[in-house]
Amino acid sequence: MSIASQPVPAPPHPFADLDRLGDEIAELSAHLDAATARLLTLIREFDARGGWNSGFSSCAAWLGWRVGLDLGAARERVRVARALGALPRLAEALARGELSYAKVRALTRVATSETEARLLAVGRAGTAAQIERIVRGWRRVDRQAEVRQATRQHAERGLHVYPDEDGTVLVRGRLTPEVGALLIRALDAARETLYLRTRTTAGVTAADPAIAPPTRAQQQADALALLAETALHHEIDPGAPGERYQVVVHVDAAVLADPEQPGQSVLEEGGHVSAETSRRLACDVSRVVMRHDDEGRLLEVGARTRTIPPALRRALLHRDRSCRFPGCHARVGEGHHVRHWAQGGPTTLGNLVLLCRRHHHAVHEEGYRVSRGPDGTLDFRRPDGRPLPEVPPTDPVPADPIHTLHAQHAALGLRLHARTACPGWLGERLDLGWALDVLHPRAVGPPTC
Ligand SMILES: [Zn+2]
Ligand SMILES: [Zn+2]
């Protein structure tokens, strides 16, 4: 047999080969999108049931810690997951692999139950880039509609104050939402000052028919009077923006050292705080130590000092940079004494750790624990004692994850192929102004691009 007589195998057709490769990419992408829909459903349920509320400030922070997503991507997943809860058509299209996650992500920024069906059709017909443009234009129309509404509300503002025949004064008016919110807050504060405080101090009892408690409307009228008096008293000066309310807490030294001890933690305005709360507040504050004798007479008032002096606080911020609770990167924090100063813990860098307000609360009031090992590493524990590692171990993945995904989708009755997510677009130019005019329910003419 001569060599020349052997059949030569035909070289594989390069285009057919690349087509197959392309089809494989498209099909696997559809599988990944369908799997993403399941992932988003799980995230939505986890979020709604507060599964992340185990020391994390949000579902996104938990995802960042547990799954390793950056915070921006994690927030976006949670946003899309929540939005899809109210947009069943878009959710279903993603679950069937017909709409990519990128398209669904863009469409959920503007879709409402009213516009969902229209936007789904847009998602099916257009490419991802076209949908991005339509969504940007859509938001512009939304903003224009909002601006029109705000302009109208601003124009309709008004307050009429006029005397009635008997000399009383009638008040009637309409305020923009933000001014209205300001007024309601101010009235609430004034009402609280007038009524809640007098109730606790004077001990007015509703049982006494001679002193019937004022109705809500009467309270509001009195609150408005207090607002007017206060405004005139302060020459209508809103004050410096940085001014803040100060909360003064009186705490017995014994309470700080041991929360089980009887003693008092009292807010200056009245009302009690728990011993653990007073320990948290005392972790990083200005303090004035007052000594009383057994009868409560004041013996001595010390100078006001910071529990954490400014230089040490700078060193702490420089070392820790952000909250050290696993998964949290909040930049603003409070200094926490790993061993509380009231129990003899030193105010040194070695005994301090930076925690955001949320996580400072977690370690004082929610049973989370933090300790520092001899090598300086922090050990965070959940209330049940289980460790809370900085980076959780990754979950095992099946040996052939793609095969597993295919098998799972086949079991769900999903028939995904290379054309599942193909847009209906045939290459014609996108006329954005026309598209928005036709699609957007609040459009009033072609938008200016
Ligand atoms: Zn603390
Ligand atoms: Zn934190």
Side-chain angles (χ1 to χ4, degrees), residues 55 57 322-330 332 354-360:
S57 54
S322 63
C323 174
R324 293 298 311 275
F325 200 88
C328 182
H329 302 284
V332 188
L354 196 67
L355 292 175
C356 70
R357 186 177 285 256
R358 165 75 186 83
H359 289 129
H360 202 186

Side-chain angles (χ1 to χ4, degrees), residues 34-215:
T36 302
R38 282 216 310 284
L39 179 66
L40 292 174
T41 305
L42 297 178
I43 291 175
R44 180 164 63 249
E45 188 185 339
F46 189 73
D47 178 41
R49 292 173 60 186
W52 50 269
N53 204 358
S54 52
F56 291 89
S57 54
S58 65
C59 191
W62 182 89
L63 276 176
W65 170 75
R66 190 68 177 78
V67 188
L69 286 177
D70 73 77
L71 197 59
R75 282 203 188 108
E76 191 63 356
R77 292 277 166 100
V78 176
R79 182 192 67 75
V80 177
R82 286 181 188 160
L84 287 181
L87 300 167
R89 292 186 179 93
L90 287 176
E92 216 178 293
L94 181 66
R96 285 199 305 262
E98 292 167 5
L99 224 53
S100 71
Y101 174 65
K103 287 182 178 181
V104 169
R105 217 183 106 190
L107 292 171
T108 50
R109 280 192 217 120
V110 294
T112 60
S113 49
E114 180 199 0
T115 58
E116 183 191 7
R118 254 175 280 176
L119 286 167
L120 174 61
V122 171
R124 284 223 174 91
T127 66
Q130 289 169 337
I131 288 161
E132 266 300 326
R133 283 186 63 203
I134 288 180
V135 166
R136 273 203 302 274
W138 194 285
R139 296 181 97 177
R140 203 160 42 231
V141 176
D142 279 345
R143 276 197 300 275
Q144 285 162 351
E146 268 164 22
V147 167
R148 285 198 303 276
Q149 188 187 24
T151 310
R152 184 176 50 72
Q153 288 176 341
H154 187 70
E156 285 175 359
R157 77 194 187 283
L159 186 69
H160 307 275
V161 182
Y162 42 89
D164 207 353
E165 285 165 6
D166 65 351
T168 56
V169 173
L170 288 165
V171 180
R172 189 176 62 80
R174 183 183 293 279
L175 304 174
T176 56
E178 65 280 10
V179 175
L182 191 67
L183 179 68
I184 290 168
R185 271 227 319 273
L187 285 172
D188 283 350
R191 231 158 21 86
E192 202 161 296
T193 305
L194 283 171
Y195 290 102
L196 295 187
R197 198 182 288 175
T198 50
R199 194 187 305 152
T200 49
T201 53
V204 174
T205 52
D208 185 353
I211 321 168
T215 64

Side-chain angles (χ1 to χ4, degrees), residues 158-406:
L159 186 69
H160 307 275
V161 182
Y162 42 89
D164 207 353
E165 285 165 6
D166 65 351
T168 56
V169 173
L170 288 165
V171 180
R172 189 176 62 80
R174 183 183 293 279
L175 304 174
T176 56
E178 65 280 10
V179 175
L182 191 67
L183 179 68
I184 290 168
R185 271 227 319 273
L187 285 172
D188 283 350
R191 231 158 21 86
E192 202 161 296
T193 305
L194 283 171
Y195 290 102
L196 295 187
R197 198 182 288 175
T198 50
R199 194 187 305 152
T200 49
T201 53
V204 174
T205 52
D208 185 353
I211 321 168
T215 64
R216 168 137 183 130
Q218 287 169 336
Q219 291 185 15
Q220 293 281 72
D222 298 342
L224 186 61
L226 180 62
L227 290 189
E229 274 171 17
T230 312
L232 291 176
H233 187 68
H234 289 281
E235 293 168 338
I236 313 191
D237 175 9
E243 271 175 30
R244 286 199 303 166
Y245 286 105
Q246 275 199 348
V247 178
V248 179
V249 194
H250 296 267
V251 197
D252 271 3
V255 174
L256 277 183
D258 178 4
E260 305 296 317
Q261 279 280 323
Q264 49 171 346
S265 302
V266 189
L267 288 170
E268 187 139 283
E269 287 79 15
H272 284 258
V273 295
S274 76
E276 272 305 337
T277 302
S278 58
R279 281 155 64 85
R280 170 167 59 80
L281 296 172
C283 237
D284 187 358
V285 281
S286 298
R287 71 178 160 196
V288 176
V289 176
M290 301 181 193
R291 289 191 36 230
H292 300 261
D293 64 12
D294 292 342
E295 258 93 75
R297 281 186 297 258
L298 189 63
L299 292 180
E300 188 187 320
V301 181
R304 175 186 293 263
T305 52
R306 299 282 321 178
T307 44
I308 301 175
L312 185 57
R313 163 177 297 282
R314 277 196 296 279
L316 176 66
L317 286 172
H318 179 77
R319 186 197 63 188
D320 285 359
R321 291 186 184 279
S322 63
C323 174
R324 293 298 311 275
F325 200 88
C328 182
H329 302 284
R331 309 276 306 179
V332 188
E334 299 168 348
H336 168 66
H337 286 71
V338 175
R339 186 175 159 75
H340 203 279
W341 57 261
Q343 291 173 310
T347 300
T348 56
L349 215 45
N351 190 41
L352 288 173
V353 55
L354 196 67
L355 292 175
C356 70
R357 186 177 285 256
R358 165 75 186 83
H359 289 129
H360 202 186
H361 192 274
V363 298
H364 277 283
E365 283 121 310
E366 294 167 42
Y368 285 82
R369 295 268 163 265
V370 55
S371 58
R372 193 186 288 281
D375 59 345
T377 54
L378 291 168
D379 178 34
F380 283 89
R381 302 254 158 190
R382 297 171 213 257
D384 60 8
R386 281 184 298 153
L388 199 58
E390 180 83 47
V391 180
T394 50
D395 294 314
V397 167
D400 183 355
I402 296 174
H403 181 79
T404 310
L405 198 59
H406 280 239

